[in-house]
Amino acid sequence: MLNFTVGPVQADEVVREIGAQQVPYFRTPEFSAVMLENERLMLQFAKAGEDARVAFMTGSGTASMEAAVINLLDERDKAIIVNGGSFGQRFVEICDIHKINNTQIKLEAGKKLTKEMLAPFENKGYTAFIVNVHETSTGVHYDMDLISDFCHRNGIFLIVDAISSFLADEFKMAEWGVDVMITGSQKALACPPGVSVIVLSGKAVSRLSSYNSGCLYLDLKSALKNGERGQTPFTPAVGTLLQINARLKAIEKAGGAKAETAKIAALAQDFREKIKDLPFEIVSESLSNAVTPLHPKNVGAYSIFTVLKDEYGIWVCPNGGALVDEIFRVGHIGALTFEDNDTLISALKDMQKRGLL
């Protein structure tokens, strides 16, 4: 199978080889050294401040979304949530479950966030802003300069889910004043799923002391305390953390986050150029490099996913719910090449000849 989804994505040979090895015991100085290196490189690639810290959570990105909310917000807070799709809605559900007072900025699929949409929230006592900077379900990438300026003016604590955007798009944590950044192992890190990563600013680390998570497994104070010695409170996904270490070191050797982002951007641009004559509409007003969201003009989106999977051995990313037949997505993260783009384009053109597009 050739994988153009947005997670899990294709892994390179080094990552796959680590996955085939016996998983080692982890309460050792050797594993601690790996984890401390993972933290150093994550801080470097996120462009975090010198006093920032990293928590490695064994769980999907949603685990870290929930951890960020329950550790750093409570009934004293009043949150704004950008809800432009499935993952914005997930933050709404998390806040509702944990009784965090919240107001949504509800966006139509693929629509960007604008200054005019933020204007009603100026100087209204909001304490937190929560956004999936790349709403993966629709492909829209929100303007972080706009969000940063708004939060800075209003003294608002900023939580950013960059799960599918980290390394695919530029991220400037300290410059933007981001207090929490979240990402996951199965996106541009191109490792198996099972680990999510929370980068906390110095301000966020200090804030933890005045909040009670109400949870044992997702307690960030415990995660950071154990992280000081390169460990985790409970048994982590050891093999995946070793794979993350290999990926982070490979990215550093190849030129760091800037080079990785440029590579993904080039793959995305190549694909978008090559589909111009096909019967698709790119639905996002503001694109991430990570994925191209496509609305087929003549057939249902899910049927394209099914035919590519069953007849061509290619995975693209379907949608669910109301978008199931409206939008499918082609990812550009993971171990993909320009030749892989050509393979997908050839398959789509063959489907067109067969009357399936």
Side-chain angles (χ1 to χ4, degrees):
M1 295 293 291
L2 182 57
N3 186 352
F4 285 92
T5 69
V6 289
V9 299
Q10 292 194 162
D12 64 27
E13 186 176 346
V14 172
V15 168
R16 296 198 307 272
E17 285 178 354
I18 294 170
Q21 296 172 8
Q22 290 284 1
V23 177
Y25 183 62
F26 65 102
R27 301 294 192 200
T28 64
E30 291 80 7
F31 186 72
S32 290
V34 166
M35 291 298 289
L36 291 170
E37 185 172 43
N38 284 350
E39 180 169 27
R40 175 183 69 81
L41 290 169
M42 281 298 306
L43 292 171
Q44 178 182 318
F45 296 161
K47 298 182 181 175
E50 291 183 2
D51 53 353
R53 291 290 312 284
V54 180
F56 294 91
M57 313 297 288
T58 295
S60 70
T62 302
S64 283
M65 291 166 69
E66 188 160 26
V69 169
I70 65 175
N71 281 271
L72 292 159
L73 302 177
D74 63 16
E75 68 279 355
R76 293 170 287 179
D77 289 293
K78 184 180 175 184
I80 299 166
I81 303 174
V82 178
N83 183 358
S86 302
F87 296 98
Q89 178 62 30
R90 191 164 299 177
F91 264 131
V92 172
E93 292 168 7
I94 290 169
C95 285
D96 286 348
I97 287 168
H98 296 286
K99 297 179 171 54
I100 308 299
N101 183 12
N102 67 88
T103 302
Q104 300 177 51
I105 299 177
K106 185 78 171 173
L107 303 176
E108 294 179 25
K111 298 297 183 183
K112 64 183 180 181
L113 184 69
T114 66
K115 184 177 181 180
E116 290 72 24
M117 294 172 185
L118 293 176
F121 299 92
E122 295 277 0
N123 302 311
K124 293 294 172 56
Y126 286 93
T127 63
F129 193 101
I130 306 174
V131 63
N132 317 81
V133 64
H134 177 217
E135 175 51 68
T136 323
S137 65
T138 63
V140 67
H141 188 269
Y142 301 123
D143 183 343
M144 278 303 304
D145 288 315
L146 175 71
I147 292 168
S148 172
D149 289 345
F150 172 81
C151 290
H152 180 74
R153 280 197 308 277
N154 289 275
I156 292 177
F157 189 79
L158 178 54
I159 298 173
V160 178
D161 158 14
I163 291 172
S164 59
S165 175
F166 179 64
L167 295 174
D169 303 295
E170 185 178 35
F171 199 86
K172 300 180 286 189
M173 185 168 180
E175 182 178 326
W176 285 330
V178 175
D179 295 297
V180 178
M181 188 207 81
I182 304 166
T183 192
S185 56
Q186 79 278 23
K187 302 297 186 179
L189 282 172
C191 292
V195 171
S196 50
V197 186
I198 306 176
V199 183
L200 299 103
S201 69
K203 175 183 170 183
V205 173
S206 297
R207 186 182 174 101
L208 285 173
S209 63
S210 59
Y211 284 77
N212 178 15
S213 72
C215 180
L216 177 68
Y217 192 72
L218 297 179
D219 184 71
L220 291 182
K221 288 189 286 289
S222 176
L224 294 183
K225 181 63 177 175
N226 280 270
E228 292 174 4
R229 60 189 179 96
Q231 288 290 329
T232 56
F234 312 104
T235 303
V238 176
T240 304
L241 288 163
L242 293 173
Q243 291 169 307
I244 288 172
N245 183 251
R247 270 288 288 154
L248 291 172
K249 288 192 292 187
I251 291 167
E252 182 182 41
K253 185 177 180 181
K258 184 176 181 180
E260 184 70 12
T261 298
K263 182 189 78 172
I264 294 169
L267 284 167
Q269 184 60 33
D270 177 72
F271 175 77
R272 291 164 189 169
E273 286 292 327
K274 289 173 177 174
I275 61 164
K276 285 184 174 178
D277 294 330
L278 289 168
F280 300 129
E281 176 189 357
I282 296 177
V283 296
S284 174
E285 290 184 341
S286 178
L287 288 167
S288 164
N289 296 318
V291 63
T292 302
L294 296 171
H295 170 68
K297 297 178 180 179
N298 303 321
V299 299
Y302 197 81
S303 69
I304 294 173
F305 161 73
T306 301
V307 172
L308 284 171
K309 173 176 67 72
D310 293 343
E311 300 184 31
Y312 295 89
I314 298 172
W315 282 320
V316 292
C317 213
N319 248 307
L323 298 178
V324 64
D325 276 324
E326 296 299 317
I327 300 171
F328 74 97
R329 297 156 293 160
V330 176
H332 311 297
I333 52 179
L336 292 169
T337 65
F338 295 111
E339 290 74 22
D340 292 330
N341 279 352
D342 291 337
T343 299
L344 175 55
I345 296 297
S346 293
L348 291 170
K349 288 183 176 179
D350 189 59
M351 287 177 62
Q352 188 180 35
K353 288 179 183 177
R354 296 170 59 199
L356 298 176
L357 277 188

